[in-house]
Amino acid sequence: MVLLCWSLLWLLLPLGSRAQKLPTRDEELFQMQIRDKALFHDSSVIPDGAEISSYLFRDTPRRYFFVVEEDNTPLSVTVTPCDAPLEWKLGLQELPEHSSGESSGDREPLEQQRQQATHEQGTELFSYRGNAVEAFLSSSSPAGLYQLELLSTEKDTHFKVYATTTPESDQPYPELPYDPRVDVTALGRTTVTLAWKPSPTASLLNQPVQYCVVINKEHNFKSLCAVEAKLGADDAFMMVPKPGLDFSPFDFTHFGFPPDHLGKDRSFLAKTSPKPARPVYLRPKSDIQKVCIGSKNIFTVSDLKPDTQHYFDVFVVNANTNMSTAYVGTFARTKGEAKQKTLELKDGKATDVFVKRKGAKFLRFAPVSSHQKVTFFVHSCLDAVQVQVRRDGKLLLSQSVEGIRQFQLRGKPKAKYLIRLKGNKKGASMLKILATTRPGKQSFPSLPEDTRIKAFDRLRTCSSATVAWLGTQERNKFCIYRKEVDDHYNEEQRKREQNQCLGPDTRQKSEKVLCKYFHSQNLQKAVTTETIKGLQPGKSYLLDVYAIGHGGHSVKYQSKVVKTRKLC
């Protein structure tokens, strides 16, 4: 089954006086459509199996249409925001009565059919708001007119859309390995060595891919499109259209589609990219480096600034489709000068720390005023890290920390604290640490000693699960998220999936269950329960609870996997 171009239908309908059947797209017809850009002059068309790039003006919605002729058709629609969050929704309308099939009698006027198709209220199938790459996927979609509406409320922005009725066979986006993390394997004053596992698209499917590494000092990126928008120097990226001028979204010279290969294949970009003889650096004014290194999965970034935090992202690009997928990015601080071996902690300010495999980091905390107590918050993002705290040379604490831990120690006038962080043998460690003499004003939320989520087995049903978790005497905001996983999901997979310091802002909107405030002055009663409804029978779900402090820093409780009953 195929997606049909609505504007093509408008052009074909007036060709005969009698009613005509909706044109069926086969490979030959689709190739003809793409070769002749004039047929795509209308800007509301989404072709089947092709990624389009376009532009949104702020607070100006844009609509795209396509037709699915037959019921039970697979359908996948992927939207990639570039340099700003998007609001988008996908709707379904029934086809106009005279738009398909054979019939007798006079046809309705063309403009009347168009208004009927675009002005009727349809059924909303999916909606999303954010800057992540999000997709609608259905294995069996009904026939009808589909409308995709996009809106940017922050600023003018680029975006990309990909739609297909054959998602199983197309697979335009490269696959990620079972461990999608980017690892820091070596760290110097001006160099960082990165390594990652190869994409199955190359190792198993034997399709040509290349990897692009992106380095900056601000944050990690969720898509290569967002990087290109920030760079503003990629020739393959669409130039911003000027308001008031007509432009066609299928002017392929503006979208970076190679004209020599148009129409040769359903993928419309089927080509073999030559392997670069050496990495090509883009060094624009935005202080971002983009380095495409071919098929290598290890790379050393050089010429970095010492003692500076850098963020690293890796994108795997399918050379046949020119479409990409993002690995889970990482960050690291380059080594400082030899004399700067100890990092100073400021009272009440969280600090990001990177510890290489088997390495060690020293931090110093010297309160400026006398104090009775000092509180240390340690949030290990990935693997466990060994923490030692000495006060004026005396060892007060030595523990292994995984996840979030809080330590409260007795203070002493004019005392100085030395913190030693030691990495483990498995790999590099990333963590956030905060020291304060005023525990009521820190940005971390207060946590109970037990941060597990308890599931009540007897309260499980085919469509719901009931869980509970502990709170504290301090009023915090709690948000709970759910995610469907397979039956073999385990703790190791959870660790590989993402940096545990990432907050709820990195989760998909559809995974959010609810947020609520909770506390109790009686710690024995500081427990809350929640029933998660709308689950599928016999399915496993990963549940996460985030505690959000007054300063906005979030801490995730230990994840819990629950499974609904098959029969009720």
Side-chain angles (χ1 to χ4, degrees), residues 483-490 493 539-541 561 563:
K483 176 184 177 182
E484 184 177 334
V485 296
D486 57 50
D487 293 337
H488 305 292
Y489 191 88
N490 55 42
Q493 287 177 287
K539 298 292 185 180
S540 296
Y541 292 87
V561 176
K563 186 173 183 179

Side-chain angles (χ1 to χ4, degrees), residues 188-394:
R189 292 181 57 251
T190 60
T191 61
V192 172
T193 299
L194 308 171
W196 56 92
K197 291 180 172 56
S199 166
T201 301
S203 58
L204 299 180
L205 302 180
N206 295 321
Q207 294 186 17
V209 301
Q210 73 165 339
Y211 299 98
C212 293
V213 181
V214 174
I215 310 102
N216 79 103
K217 300 176 184 177
E218 297 180 3
H219 55 77
N220 291 109
F221 287 92
K222 296 182 178 181
S223 69
L224 193 55
C225 176
V227 175
E228 292 170 341
K230 188 77 172 179
L231 286 170
D234 194 330
D235 292 337
F237 206 70
M238 174 186 172
M239 298 298 293
V240 178
K242 291 181 172 58
L245 297 181
D246 188 20
F247 70 97
S248 169
F250 291 90
D251 188 346
F252 293 96
T253 60
H254 289 166
F255 282 84
F257 299 156
D260 294 339
H261 299 279
L262 295 178
K264 289 186 178 180
D265 189 85
R266 174 191 172 92
S267 66
F268 78 86
L269 280 177
K271 61 186 178 70
T272 302
S273 297
K275 294 183 178 180
R278 53 188 171 84
V280 178
Y281 287 78
L282 292 179
R283 297 180 183 271
K285 296 179 180 179
S286 55
D287 198 25
I288 298 178
Q289 297 181 49
K290 174 187 171 185
V291 192
C292 293
I293 61 172
S295 59
K296 296 187 300 180
N297 64 323
I298 184 170
F299 182 69
T300 298
V301 185
S302 57
D303 299 327
L304 299 176
K305 186 178 180 180
D307 193 26
T308 303
Q309 179 115 327
H310 296 83
Y311 295 84
F312 305 94
D313 292 288
V314 173
F315 301 91
V316 53
V317 182
N318 188 325
N320 284 339
T321 64
N322 204 30
M323 297 161 77
S324 60
T325 305
Y327 279 69
V328 177
T330 187
F331 62 87
R333 178 175 289 272
T334 48
K335 291 183 177 180
E337 301 294 338
K339 60 181 180 181
Q340 298 177 348
K341 294 183 178 180
T342 302
L343 179 65
E344 293 286 343
L345 294 178
K346 294 183 179 180
D347 198 333
K349 183 177 180 181
T351 302
D352 294 321
V353 182
F354 173 82
V355 184
K356 67 180 181 180
R357 180 175 174 266
K358 296 183 179 180
K361 272 288 178 66
F362 292 90
L363 303 95
R364 181 175 176 269
F365 180 54
V368 296
S369 60
S370 60
H371 57 283
Q372 295 181 344
K373 294 181 181 180
V374 60
T375 304
F376 292 93
F377 295 88
V378 181
H379 191 181
S380 179
C381 305
L382 297 174
D383 296 312
V385 62
Q386 187 73 21
V387 179
Q388 288 186 350
V389 180
R390 296 178 182 270
R391 184 186 64 202
D392 298 333
K394 182 181 179 181

